[in-house]
Amino acid sequence: VMHQQRRKGVATALLKNLFDRCKKAKCKTISLEVRQENSGAVAMYSKLKFKKKGLRRNYYQNPPDHGVILEKSLLSENGEHSK
């Protein structure tokens, strides 16, 4: 999302649309990675219930940074797609 459009809910809306499409396609999980130092993105993904699954050390360059691997389950506790 362009810098001047951040903190307006654009990324959250896009991701929720993605979640809906993935559920319709019977996907079970979504995974991604984000720069460790990108605290705004990390906070947004946490709010959307992504969980940290790993770390890719020195994954990014210019500037150097680690990649945090995040994952979100699209299934409820009973194994069905959540709402």
Side-chain angles (χ1 to χ4, degrees):
V1 176
M2 293 173 51
H3 186 71
Q4 63 267 30
Q5 296 301 318
R6 292 183 187 164
R7 311 264 326 141
K8 294 182 180 180
V10 175
T12 298
L14 288 170
L15 285 166
K16 287 183 176 182
N17 183 276
L18 173 68
F19 301 160
D20 291 341
R21 289 172 177 255
C22 289
K23 289 174 189 176
K24 288 177 185 172
K26 306 293 185 204
C27 297
K28 295 178 182 178
T29 60
I30 295 176
S31 63
L32 57 85
E33 66 199 30
V34 62
R35 283 181 178 269
Q36 186 173 9
E37 296 297 319
N38 189 343
S39 59
V42 170
M44 179 191 64
Y45 292 129
S46 177
K47 180 180 166 187
L48 292 170
K49 300 187 179 174
F50 279 83
K51 304 292 182 201
K52 183 177 177 180
K53 292 296 178 180
L55 186 70
R56 290 191 170 118
R57 296 196 175 278
N58 304 310
Y59 185 73
Y60 290 100
Q61 299 175 6
N62 298 321
D65 199 1
H66 302 309
V68 178
I69 302 165
L70 301 173
E71 187 174 274
K72 174 183 175 66
S73 175
L74 298 175
L75 302 176
S76 63
E77 289 182 16
N78 65 5
E80 296 179 7
H81 280 88
S82 58
K83 304 273 184 219

Coordinates of all heavy atoms in Angstrom, one line a residue:
V1 N 0.9 -1.2 0.0 CA 0.0 0.0 0.0 C 0.9 1.2 0.0 O 1.9 1.3 0.8 CB -0.9 0.0 1.2 CG1 -1.8 1.3 1.3 CG2 -1.8 -1.2 1.2
M2 N 0.6 2.2 -0.8 CA 1.4 3.4 -0.9 C 1.4 4.1 0.4 O 0.4 4.1 1.2 CB 0.8 4.3 -2.0 CG 0.9 3.8 -3.4 SD 0.1 4.7 -4.7 CE 0.7 6.4 -4.4
H3 N 2.5 4.7 0.7 CA 2.8 5.4 2.0 C 1.6 6.3 2.4 O 1.2 6.2 3.5 CB 4.1 6.1 2.0 CG 4.5 6.7 3.3 ND1 4.9 5.9 4.4 CD2 4.5 7.9 3.8 CE1 5.1 6.6 5.4 NE2 4.9 7.9 5.1
Q4 N 1.2 7.2 1.5 CA 0.1 8.1 1.8 C -1.2 7.5 2.1 O -2.1 8.1 2.6 CB 0.0 9.2 0.8 CG -0.4 8.8 -0.6 CD 0.8 8.5 -1.5 OE1 1.9 8.1 -1.0 NE2 0.6 8.6 -2.8
Q5 N -1.4 6.2 1.7 CA -2.7 5.5 1.9 C -2.6 4.6 3.2 O -3.6 3.9 3.4 CB -3.0 4.7 0.7 CG -3.3 5.6 -0.5 CD -4.4 6.6 -0.3 OE1 -5.4 6.2 0.3 NE2 -4.2 7.8 -0.8
R6 N -1.5 4.5 3.8 CA -1.4 3.6 5.0 C -2.2 4.1 6.2 O -2.5 5.3 6.3 CB 0.1 3.5 5.4 CG 0.9 2.7 4.3 CD 2.3 2.5 4.7 NE 3.0 1.9 3.6 CZ 4.3 1.9 3.5 NH1 5.1 2.4 4.5 NH2 4.9 1.4 2.5
R7 N -2.6 3.2 7.0 CA -3.3 3.5 8.3 C -4.8 3.9 7.9 O -5.4 4.6 8.7 CB -2.7 4.5 9.1 CG -1.2 4.2 9.4 CD -0.8 3.6 10.7 NE -1.6 3.8 11.8 CZ -1.9 2.9 12.7 NH1 -1.5 1.6 12.5 NH2 -2.6 3.1 13.8
K8 N -5.3 3.5 6.8 CA -6.6 3.8 6.4 C -7.5 2.6 6.2 O -8.6 2.6 5.7 CB -6.6 4.6 5.1 CG -6.0 6.0 5.2 CD -6.1 6.8 4.0 CE -5.5 8.2 4.1 NZ -5.5 9.0 2.9
G9 N -6.9 1.4 6.5 CA -7.7 0.2 6.4 C -7.6 -0.5 5.0 O -8.3 -1.5 4.8
V10 N -6.8 0.0 4.1 CA -6.7 -0.5 2.8 C -6.2 -1.9 2.8 O -6.7 -2.9 2.2 CB -5.9 0.4 1.8 CG1 -5.7 -0.2 0.5 CG2 -6.6 1.8 1.7
A11 N -5.0 -2.1 3.4 CA -4.4 -3.4 3.5 C -5.3 -4.4 4.2 O -5.4 -5.6 3.7 CB -3.0 -3.3 4.2
T12 N -5.9 -4.0 5.3 CA -6.8 -4.9 6.0 C -7.9 -5.4 5.1 O -8.3 -6.6 5.1 CB -7.3 -4.3 7.3 OG1 -6.2 -4.0 8.1 CG2 -8.3 -5.2 8.0
A13 N -8.5 -4.5 4.4 CA -9.6 -4.8 3.5 C -9.2 -5.8 2.4 O -9.9 -6.7 2.1 CB -10.2 -3.5 2.9
L14 N -8.0 -5.5 1.8 CA -7.5 -6.4 0.8 C -7.2 -7.8 1.3 O -7.6 -8.8 0.7 CB -6.2 -5.8 0.2 CG -6.3 -4.6 -0.7 CD1 -4.9 -4.0 -1.0 CD2 -7.0 -4.9 -2.0
L15 N -6.7 -7.9 2.5 CA -6.4 -9.2 3.1 C -7.7 -9.9 3.5 O -7.8 -11.1 3.3 CB -5.5 -9.0 4.4 CG -4.0 -8.7 4.0 CD1 -3.3 -8.2 5.3 CD2 -3.4 -9.9 3.4
K16 N -8.7 -9.2 4.0 CA -9.9 -9.9 4.3 C -10.6 -10.4 3.0 O -11.2 -11.5 3.1 CB -10.9 -9.0 5.1 CG -10.4 -8.7 6.5 CD -11.3 -7.9 7.3 CE -10.8 -7.8 8.7 NZ -11.7 -7.0 9.6
N17 N -10.5 -9.7 1.9 CA -11.0 -10.2 0.7 C -10.2 -11.5 0.2 O -10.8 -12.4 -0.2 CB -10.9 -9.1 -0.4 CG -11.4 -9.5 -1.7 OD1 -10.7 -10.2 -2.5 ND2 -12.7 -9.2 -2.0
L18 N -8.9 -11.4 0.4 CA -8.1 -12.6 0.1 C -8.5 -13.8 1.0 O -8.6 -14.9 0.5 CB -6.6 -12.3 0.4 CG -5.6 -13.5 0.2 CD1 -5.6 -13.9 -1.2 CD2 -4.3 -13.1 0.8
F19 N -8.7 -13.6 2.3 CA -9.2 -14.7 3.2 C -10.4 -15.3 2.6 O -10.6 -16.5 2.6 CB -9.4 -14.2 4.6 CG -8.2 -13.5 5.3 CD1 -8.4 -12.7 6.3 CD2 -6.9 -13.8 4.8 CE1 -7.3 -12.1 7.0 CE2 -5.8 -13.2 5.5 CZ -6.0 -12.3 6.6
D20 N -11.4 -14.5 2.3 CA -12.7 -15.0 1.7 C -12.4 -15.8 0.5 O -13.0 -16.9 0.3 CB -13.6 -13.8 1.4 CG -14.2 -13.1 2.7 OD1 -14.1 -13.7 3.8 OD2 -14.6 -12.0 2.6
R21 N -11.6 -15.3 -0.4 CA -11.3 -16.1 -1.7 C -10.6 -17.4 -1.4 O -10.9 -18.4 -2.0 CB -10.5 -15.2 -2.6 CG -11.2 -14.1 -3.2 CD -10.3 -13.1 -4.0 NE -11.0 -12.1 -4.6 CZ -11.3 -12.0 -5.9 NH1 -10.8 -13.0 -6.7 NH2 -12.0 -11.1 -6.4
C22 N -9.7 -17.3 -0.4 CA -9.0 -18.6 -0.1 C -9.9 -19.6 0.6 O -9.8 -20.8 0.3 CB -7.8 -18.2 0.8 SG -6.5 -17.4 0.0
K23 N -10.8 -19.1 1.4 CA -11.8 -20.1 2.0 C -12.6 -20.7 1.0 O -12.9 -21.9 1.1 CB -12.6 -19.3 3.1 CG -11.9 -18.9 4.3 CD -12.7 -18.1 5.2 CE -11.9 -17.5 6.4 NZ -12.7 -16.6 7.2
K24 N -13.1 -19.9 0.0 CA -13.9 -20.5 -1.1 C -13.1 -21.5 -1.9 O -13.7 -22.5 -2.4 CB -14.4 -19.4 -2.0 CG -15.5 -18.5 -1.3 CD -15.9 -17.4 -2.2 CE -16.9 -16.5 -1.5 NZ -17.3 -15.3 -2.2
A25 N -11.8 -21.3 -2.0 CA -11.0 -22.3 -2.7 C -10.5 -23.4 -1.8 O -9.7 -24.3 -2.2 CB -9.7 -21.6 -3.2
K26 N -11.0 -23.5 -0.6 CA -10.8 -24.6 0.4 C -9.3 -24.6 0.9 O -8.8 -25.6 1.3 CB -11.1 -25.9 -0.1 CG -12.5 -26.1 -0.6 CD -13.5 -25.9 0.5 CE -14.9 -26.2 0.0 NZ -16.0 -25.6 0.8
C27 N -8.7 -23.4 0.9 CA -7.3 -23.3 1.5 C -7.4 -23.4 3.0 O -8.4 -23.0 3.6 CB -6.7 -21.9 1.1 SG -6.4 -21.6 -0.6
K28 N -6.4 -24.0 3.6 CA -6.4 -24.2 5.0 C -5.6 -23.2 5.8 O -5.9 -22.8 6.9 CB -5.9 -25.6 5.4 CG -6.8 -26.7 4.8 CD -6.2 -28.1 5.1 CE -7.1 -29.2 4.6 NZ -6.5 -30.5 4.8
T29 N -4.5 -22.7 5.1 CA -3.7 -21.7 5.8 C -3.2 -20.7 4.8 O -3.1 -21.0 3.6 CB -2.4 -22.3 6.5 OG1 -1.7 -23.0 5.5 CG2 -2.8 -23.3 7.6
I30 N -2.7 -19.6 5.3 CA -2.1 -18.6 4.5 C -0.7 -18.3 5.2 O -0.7 -18.1 6.4 CB -2.9 -17.3 4.4 CG1 -4.2 -17.5 3.6 CG2 -2.1 -16.1 3.7 CD1 -5.1 -16.3 3.6
S31 N 0.4 -18.2 4.4 CA 1.6 -17.9 5.0 C 2.3 -16.8 4.3 O 2.0 -16.6 3.1 CB 2.6 -19.1 5.1 OG 2.9 -19.6 3.8
L32 N 3.1 -16.0 5.0 CA 3.8 -14.9 4.3 C 5.0 -14.6 5.2 O 5.2 -15.2 6.2 CB 2.9 -13.7 4.3 CG 2.3 -13.1 5.6 CD1 3.2 -12.2 6.3 CD2 1.0 -12.4 5.3
E33 N 5.8 -13.7 4.7 CA 6.9 -13.2 5.4 C 7.0 -11.7 5.4 O 6.5 -11.1 4.4 CB 8.2 -13.8 4.9 CG 8.6 -13.3 3.6 CD 9.6 -14.2 2.9 OE1 9.6 -15.4 3.2 OE2 10.3 -13.7 2.1
V34 N 7.5 -11.1 6.4 CA 7.6 -9.7 6.5 C 8.9 -9.3 7.2 O 9.5 -10.1 7.9 CB 6.4 -9.2 7.4 CG1 6.4 -9.7 8.8 CG2 6.3 -7.6 7.4
R35 N 9.4 -8.1 6.8 CA 10.7 -7.7 7.4 C 10.4 -7.6 8.9 O 9.4 -7.0 9.4 CB 11.0 -6.3 6.9 CG 11.7 -6.3 5.5 CD 12.1 -4.9 5.1 NE 12.7 -4.9 3.8 CZ 14.0 -5.0 3.7 NH1 14.8 -5.0 4.7 NH2 14.5 -5.0 2.5
Q36 N 11.4 -8.0 9.7 CA 11.3 -8.0 11.2 C 11.1 -6.6 11.7 O 10.4 -6.3 12.6 CB 12.5 -8.6 11.8 CG 12.5 -8.8 13.3 CD 13.7 -9.6 13.8 OE1 14.6 -9.9 13.1 NE2 13.6 -9.9 15.1
E37 N 11.8 -5.6 11.0 CA 11.8 -4.2 11.4 C 10.5 -3.5 11.0 O 10.3 -2.3 11.4 CB 13.0 -3.5 10.9 CG 14.3 -4.0 11.5 CD 14.4 -3.9 13.0 OE1 14.0 -2.8 13.5 OE2 14.9 -4.8 13.7
N38 N 9.7 -4.1 10.2 CA 8.4 -3.4 9.7 C 7.3 -3.6 10.8 O 6.4 -4.4 10.7 CB 8.0 -4.0 8.4 CG 6.9 -3.3 7.8 OD1 6.2 -2.5 8.4 ND2 6.7 -3.5 6.5
S39 N 7.5 -2.8 11.9 CA 6.6 -3.0 13.0 C 5.1 -2.7 12.7 O 4.2 -3.4 13.3 CB 7.1 -2.1 14.2 OG 7.1 -0.7 13.8
G40 N 4.9 -1.8 11.8 CA 3.5 -1.5 11.4 C 2.8 -2.7 10.7 O 1.7 -3.1 11.1
A41 N 3.5 -3.4 9.8 CA 3.0 -4.6 9.1 C 2.9 -5.7 10.1 O 1.9 -6.5 10.1 CB 3.9 -5.0 8.0
V42 N 3.9 -5.9 11.0 CA 3.9 -7.0 12.0 C 2.6 -6.8 12.9 O 1.9 -7.8 13.2 CB 5.2 -7.1 12.8 CG1 5.0 -8.0 13.9 CG2 6.3 -7.5 11.9
A43 N 2.4 -5.6 13.3 CA 1.2 -5.3 14.2 C -0.1 -5.6 13.4 O -1.0 -6.2 14.0 CB 1.2 -3.9 14.7
M44 N -0.2 -5.2 12.2 CA -1.4 -5.5 11.4 C -1.6 -7.0 11.2 O -2.8 -7.5 11.4 CB -1.3 -4.8 10.0 CG -2.6 -5.1 9.2 SD -2.4 -4.7 7.4 CE -1.1 -5.8 6.9
Y45 N -0.6 -7.7 10.9 CA -0.8 -9.2 10.7 C -1.1 -9.8 12.0 O -1.9 -10.8 12.1 CB 0.5 -9.8 10.1 CG 0.8 -9.4 8.7 CD1 2.0 -8.9 8.3 CD2 -0.2 -9.5 7.7 CE1 2.3 -8.5 7.0 CE2 0.1 -9.1 6.4 CZ 1.3 -8.6 6.1 OH 1.5 -8.2 4.8
S46 N -0.6 -9.4 13.1 CA -0.9 -9.9 14.4 C -2.4 -9.7 14.7 O -3.1 -10.6 15.2 CB 0.0 -9.3 15.5 OG -0.4 -9.8 16.8
K47 N -2.9 -8.5 14.4 CA -4.3 -8.1 14.6 C -5.2 -9.0 13.8 O -6.3 -9.4 14.2 CB -4.5 -6.7 14.3 CG -5.9 -6.2 14.4 CD -6.0 -4.7 14.0 CE -7.4 -4.3 13.8 NZ -7.5 -2.9 13.3
L48 N -4.7 -9.5 12.7 CA -5.5 -10.4 11.8 C -5.2 -11.8 12.1 O -5.6 -12.7 11.3 CB -5.1 -10.1 10.3 CG -5.6 -8.7 9.8 CD1 -5.0 -8.4 8.4 CD2 -7.1 -8.7 9.8
K49 N -4.6 -12.1 13.3 CA -4.4 -13.4 13.8 C -3.4 -14.3 13.1 O -3.5 -15.5 13.1 CB -5.8 -14.2 13.9 CG -6.7 -13.4 14.8 CD -8.0 -14.2 15.1 CE -8.8 -13.3 16.0 NZ -10.1 -13.9 16.3
F50 N -2.4 -13.6 12.5 CA -1.3 -14.4 12.0 C -0.4 -14.7 13.2 O -0.2 -13.9 14.1 CB -0.5 -13.6 11.0 CG -1.1 -13.5 9.6 CD1 -2.1 -12.7 9.2 CD2 -0.6 -14.4 8.6 CE1 -2.6 -12.6 8.0 CE2 -1.1 -14.4 7.3 CZ -2.1 -13.5 7.0
K51 N 0.2 -15.9 13.1 CA 1.1 -16.4 14.2 C 2.5 -16.5 13.6 O 2.7 -17.0 12.5 CB 0.7 -17.7 14.8 CG -0.8 -17.7 15.3 CD -0.9 -16.8 16.5 CE -2.3 -16.9 17.0 NZ -2.7 -15.7 17.8
K52 N 3.5 -16.2 14.4 CA 4.9 -16.4 14.0 C 5.3 -17.8 13.9 O 5.0 -18.6 14.9 CB 5.9 -15.7 15.0 CG 7.3 -15.7 14.6 CD 8.2 -14.9 15.5 CE 9.7 -15.1 15.1 NZ 10.5 -14.4 16.0
K53 N 5.8 -18.3 12.8 CA 6.2 -19.7 12.6 C 7.7 -19.9 12.4 O 8.1 -21.0 12.5 CB 5.4 -20.2 11.4 CG 3.9 -20.4 11.6 CD 3.7 -21.4 12.7 CE 2.2 -21.5 13.0 NZ 1.9 -22.4 14.0
G54 N 8.4 -18.8 12.1 CA 9.8 -19.0 11.9 C 10.5 -17.7 11.6 O 9.9 -16.6 11.5
L55 N 11.8 -17.8 11.3 CA 12.6 -16.6 11.0 C 13.6 -17.0 10.0 O 14.3 -18.0 10.1 CB 13.4 -16.1 12.3 CG 14.1 -14.8 12.2 CD1 13.2 -13.6 12.0 CD2 15.0 -14.7 13.4
R56 N 13.7 -16.2 8.9 CA 14.7 -16.3 7.9 C 15.8 -15.3 8.1 O 15.6 -14.1 7.8 CB 14.1 -16.2 6.5 CG 13.2 -17.3 6.1 CD 12.8 -17.2 4.7 NE 12.1 -18.5 4.3 CZ 10.9 -18.5 3.9 NH1 10.2 -17.4 3.7 NH2 10.3 -19.7 3.6
R57 N 16.9 -15.7 8.7 CA 18.0 -14.8 9.1 C 18.6 -14.2 7.8 O 18.9 -14.9 6.9 CB 19.0 -15.5 9.9 CG 18.5 -16.0 11.2 CD 19.6 -16.4 12.2 NE 19.0 -16.7 13.5 CZ 18.7 -15.8 14.4 NH1 18.8 -14.5 14.2 NH2 18.2 -16.2 15.6
N58 N 18.8 -12.9 7.9 CA 19.5 -12.1 6.9 C 18.8 -12.3 5.5 O 19.5 -12.4 4.5 CB 21.0 -12.5 6.8 CG 21.6 -12.3 8.1 OD1 21.5 -11.2 8.7 ND2 22.3 -13.3 8.6
Y59 N 17.5 -12.4 5.5 CA 16.8 -12.7 4.3 C 16.7 -11.5 3.3 O 16.8 -11.6 2.1 CB 15.4 -13.2 4.6 CG 14.5 -13.6 3.4 CD1 14.8 -14.8 2.8 CD2 13.5 -12.8 3.0 CE1 14.1 -15.2 1.7 CE2 12.7 -13.2 1.9 CZ 13.0 -14.4 1.3 OH 12.3 -14.8 0.2
Y60 N 16.5 -10.3 3.9 CA 16.4 -9.1 3.1 C 17.7 -8.4 3.0 O 18.6 -8.4 3.9 CB 15.4 -8.2 3.7 CG 13.9 -8.7 3.7 CD1 13.3 -9.3 4.7 CD2 13.2 -8.5 2.5 CE1 12.0 -9.8 4.7 CE2 11.9 -9.0 2.4 CZ 11.3 -9.6 3.5 OH 10.0 -10.1 3.4
Q61 N 17.8 -7.6 1.9 CA 19.0 -6.7 1.7 C 18.5 -5.3 1.5 O 17.3 -5.1 1.1 CB 19.8 -7.2 0.5 CG 20.3 -8.6 0.6 CD 21.0 -9.0 -0.7 OE1 21.2 -8.3 -1.6 NE2 21.4 -10.3 -0.7
N62 N 19.4 -4.3 1.6 CA 19.1 -2.9 1.3 C 17.8 -2.4 2.0 O 16.9 -2.1 1.3 CB 19.0 -2.7 -0.2 CG 20.3 -3.1 -0.8 OD1 21.4 -2.8 -0.3 ND2 20.3 -3.7 -2.0
P63 N 17.7 -2.2 3.2 CA 18.7 -2.6 4.3 C 18.6 -4.0 4.7 O 17.5 -4.6 4.5 CB 18.3 -1.6 5.4 CG 16.9 -1.5 5.3 CD 16.6 -1.5 3.8
P64 N 19.6 -4.6 5.3 CA 19.6 -5.9 5.7 C 18.6 -6.1 6.9 O 18.4 -5.2 7.7 CB 21.0 -6.2 6.3 CG 21.8 -5.0 6.0 CD 20.9 -3.9 5.5
D65 N 17.9 -7.2 6.8 CA 16.9 -7.5 7.8 C 16.5 -9.0 7.8 O 16.7 -9.7 6.8 CB 15.6 -6.7 7.6 CG 14.7 -6.5 8.8 OD1 15.1 -7.1 9.9 OD2 13.7 -5.9 8.7
H66 N 16.0 -9.5 8.9 CA 15.5 -10.9 8.9 C 14.1 -10.9 8.4 O 13.3 -9.9 8.5 CB 15.5 -11.4 10.4 CG 16.8 -11.4 11.0 ND1 18.0 -11.9 10.4 CD2 17.2 -10.9 12.2 CE1 19.0 -11.7 11.2 NE2 18.6 -11.1 12.3
G67 N 13.7 -12.0 7.9 CA 12.3 -12.2 7.4 C 11.5 -13.0 8.4 O 12.0 -14.1 8.8
V68 N 10.4 -12.5 9.0 CA 9.6 -13.2 9.9 C 8.5 -14.0 9.1 O 7.8 -13.4 8.3 CB 8.9 -12.3 10.9 CG1 8.0 -13.0 11.9 CG2 10.0 -11.5 11.7
I69 N 8.5 -15.3 9.3 CA 7.5 -16.1 8.7 C 6.2 -16.2 9.5 O 6.3 -16.5 10.7 CB 8.0 -17.5 8.4 CG1 9.3 -17.5 7.6 CG2 6.9 -18.4 7.7 CD1 10.1 -18.8 7.6
L70 N 5.1 -15.8 8.9 CA 3.8 -15.7 9.6 C 2.8 -16.6 9.0 O 2.9 -16.8 7.7 CB 3.3 -14.3 9.6 CG 4.2 -13.2 10.3 CD1 3.6 -11.8 10.1 CD2 4.3 -13.5 11.8
E71 N 1.9 -17.2 9.7 CA 0.9 -18.1 9.2 C -0.4 -17.8 9.9 O -0.5 -17.5 11.1 CB 1.3 -19.5 9.4 CG 0.5 -20.5 8.8 CD 1.0 -21.9 8.9 OE1 1.9 -22.3 8.1 OE2 0.6 -22.6 9.9
K72 N -1.5 -17.9 9.1 CA -2.8 -17.8 9.6 C -3.7 -19.0 9.2 O -3.7 -19.4 8.0 CB -3.5 -16.5 9.0 CG -5.0 -16.4 9.4 CD -5.5 -15.1 8.8 CE -7.0 -15.0 9.0 NZ -7.4 -14.8 10.4
S73 N -4.3 -19.6 10.1 CA -5.2 -20.7 9.8 C -6.6 -20.2 9.4 O -7.1 -19.2 9.9 CB -5.4 -21.6 11.0 OG -6.4 -22.6 10.8
L74 N -7.1 -20.8 8.3 CA -8.4 -20.4 7.9 C -9.5 -21.4 8.4 O -10.7 -21.3 8.0 CB -8.5 -20.4 6.3 CG -7.5 -19.3 5.7 CD1 -7.5 -19.5 4.2 CD2 -7.9 -17.9 6.1
L75 N -9.1 -22.3 9.3 CA -10.0 -23.3 9.8 C -10.3 -22.9 11.3 O -9.5 -22.4 12.0 CB -9.3 -24.7 9.8 CG -8.9 -25.2 8.4 CD1 -8.3 -26.5 8.6 CD2 -10.1 -25.3 7.5
S76 N -11.5 -23.2 11.7 CA -11.9 -23.0 13.1 C -11.4 -24.2 13.9 O -10.8 -25.1 13.3 CB -13.4 -23.0 13.2 OG -14.0 -24.2 12.8
E77 N -11.6 -24.2 15.2 CA -11.1 -25.2 16.0 C -11.6 -26.6 15.7 O -11.0 -27.6 15.9 CB -11.3 -24.9 17.5 CG -10.5 -23.8 18.0 CD -10.8 -23.5 19.5 OE1 -11.4 -24.3 20.2 OE2 -10.4 -22.4 19.9
N78 N -12.8 -26.7 15.1 CA -13.4 -28.0 14.7 C -13.0 -28.4 13.3 O -13.5 -29.4 12.8 CB -14.9 -27.9 14.9 CG -15.6 -27.0 13.9 OD1 -14.9 -26.4 13.1 ND2 -16.9 -26.8 14.1
G79 N -12.0 -27.7 12.7 CA -11.5 -28.1 11.4 C -12.3 -27.7 10.2 O -12.0 -28.0 9.1
E80 N -13.3 -26.8 10.4 CA -14.1 -26.3 9.3 C -13.6 -24.9 9.0 O -12.9 -24.2 9.9 CB -15.6 -26.3 9.7 CG -16.2 -27.7 9.9 CD -17.6 -27.6 10.3 OE1 -18.2 -26.5 10.2 OE2 -18.2 -28.6 10.6
H81 N -13.9 -24.4 7.8 CA -13.5 -23.1 7.5 C -14.2 -22.1 8.4 O -15.4 -22.2 8.6 CB -13.8 -22.8 6.0 CG -12.7 -23.3 5.1 ND1 -12.8 -24.6 4.6 CD2 -11.6 -22.8 4.7 CE1 -11.7 -24.8 3.9 NE2 -10.9 -23.8 3.9
S82 N -13.4 -21.2 9.0 CA -14.0 -20.2 9.9 C -14.7 -19.1 9.1 O -14.6 -19.0 7.9 CB -12.9 -19.5 10.7 OG -11.9 -18.9 9.9
K83 N -15.6 -18.4 9.8 CA -16.4 -17.3 9.2 C -15.6 -16.1 9.1 O -14.7 -15.8 9.8 CB -17.6 -17.1 10.0 CG -18.5 -18.3 10.2 CD -19.4 -18.5 9.1 CE -20.3 -19.7 9.4 NZ -20.6 -20.5 8.3

